[in-house]
Amino acid sequence: MFGMMDLLGFEFSPIIAKIHEQRLYSFETIAVYKQKGYPILPSAYVQQNKIKDNWQEILRLVCSLKLKYALPSEIFTRFNSYSRQHPLYQALKEYGRMIKTLHILNYIDQLELRQEAKFMQTYAENNNKFNKAIAFNNGGDLIFLTRQEQLMAEACKNLIKNAIICWNYLYLTRLVQQEKTPQRKQEMIELIKQASLLKWAHISFNGQYDFSEQFLTDSFDLINPNGYKLNLA
């Protein structure tokens, strides 16, 4: 995974469990790094010949993915069907060891990278919980018979998610606008930047839908041109 993501031009920065137990790979002997006084030393070597001997095949694979001649799922399915001793598989594994080693060293050394990785992990977890909250009837898994039904259901789910996020932005914007001091406004803006707007505890998904004509304005006192109000209270 590290190798393929790097070759495709993406930065793969996961949070690795038990990172202190991971192996670090190098090109030079361990004695070279000991002489330089490095506190963290490699424990194995990258087999460069495997990468060199299969470099053209690696480039063909990357071009096939870039040009969409093949899907990533097809590639990994093919790799799973191959023996782990397949030369291309072994070459990608050796290449990935280089990238993974660099990631581990950067992760240990850079506080910002650790914070960003943790933020993205939290965001992904919140997004999964968000999906389950919206599709509460089946735990977030949308199962339909046809592809068209799947696309329609996914579009409806995204519409609901975007509506909730949009409401959160509007509500927080109104709160910022109501603050009287510029200092307090800036403090609230900074808090909003650091937080996630994937919040839904204030939304009642089993709410009451009232389309009577007496509700002609929304929560921001704006006239609805269609004469309808969606009340989720």
Side-chain angles (χ1 to χ4, degrees):
M1 183 61 70
F2 277 96
M4 288 300 301
M5 293 292 284
D6 181 75
L7 290 166
L8 292 171
F10 298 100
E11 183 178 357
F12 185 48
S13 300
I15 298 178
I16 302 177
K18 298 181 180 180
I19 193 171
H20 61 285
E21 298 180 1
Q22 298 295 318
R23 303 185 71 180
L24 301 179
Y25 292 81
S26 67
F27 296 100
E28 303 290 344
T29 61
I30 298 176
V32 172
Y33 301 100
K34 285 184 178 180
Q35 293 176 357
K36 294 181 179 181
Y38 287 3
I40 299 177
L41 299 174
S43 55
Y45 304 100
V46 176
Q47 300 183 43
Q48 303 177 51
N49 290 334
K50 290 185 177 181
I51 301 175
K52 293 178 180 178
D53 295 341
N54 296 276
W55 185 244
Q56 293 301 320
E57 292 299 321
I58 292 176
L59 293 181
R60 287 181 58 189
L61 175 61
V62 174
C63 289
S64 298
L65 292 173
K66 282 281 189 178
L67 299 175
K68 299 183 179 180
Y69 291 147
L71 297 175
S73 58
E74 296 174 347
I75 298 299
F76 284 105
T77 299
R78 185 67 60 87
F79 279 151
N80 288 332
S81 64
Y82 284 162
S83 169
R84 289 185 176 270
Q85 300 302 319
H86 190 279
L88 181 57
Y89 176 89
Q90 291 294 322
L92 284 171
K93 190 174 181 180
E94 293 299 317
Y95 185 89
R97 283 171 173 171
M98 297 188 300
I99 309 303
K100 183 178 180 180
T101 297
L102 292 174
H103 169 70
I104 292 175
L105 294 175
N106 289 329
Y107 189 86
I108 294 173
D109 185 59
Q110 300 177 15
L111 175 61
E112 293 181 356
L113 180 60
R114 297 196 297 272
Q115 292 175 338
E116 182 180 358
K118 183 62 177 179
F119 175 82
M120 293 306 299
Q121 182 188 45
T122 303
Y123 180 86
E125 293 174 352
N126 287 341
N127 189 55
N128 291 334
K129 293 179 181 178
F130 197 10
N131 291 333
K132 290 183 178 180
I134 292 174
F136 55 86
N137 191 36
N138 53 17
D141 296 326
L142 301 176
I143 302 175
F144 298 93
L145 296 178
T146 66
R147 176 63 175 170
Q148 185 66 23
E149 290 178 340
Q150 294 176 1
L151 293 175
M152 291 178 61
E154 188 68 22
C156 291
K157 183 179 70 173
N158 289 334
L159 178 61
I160 296 174
K161 289 174 61 177
N162 291 335
I164 294 173
I165 294 174
C166 181
W167 161 253
N168 291 341
Y169 269 109
L170 290 173
Y171 183 76
L172 291 174
T173 300
R174 175 61 61 87
L175 288 180
V176 173
Q177 291 174 343
Q178 290 175 349
E179 287 296 331
K180 298 180 180 179
T181 63
Q183 181 180 358
R184 179 55 182 165
K185 287 184 177 181
Q186 188 60 36
E187 290 177 355
M188 293 186 65
I189 292 174
E190 293 300 325
L191 288 175
I192 294 173
K193 288 181 179 180
Q194 298 174 8
S196 172
L197 293 182
L198 296 182
K199 305 297 182 182
W200 60 93
H202 55 295
I203 302 296
S204 174
F205 293 106
N206 292 320
Q208 176 184 358
Y209 298 87
D210 195 334
F211 294 93
S212 60
E213 294 184 358
Q214 60 179 329
F215 293 103
L216 297 178
T217 60
D218 61 15
S219 300
F220 285 89
D221 297 328
L222 299 176
I223 300 299
N224 189 326
N226 297 321
Y228 300 118
K229 176 183 174 60
L230 181 61
N231 184 5
L232 297 179

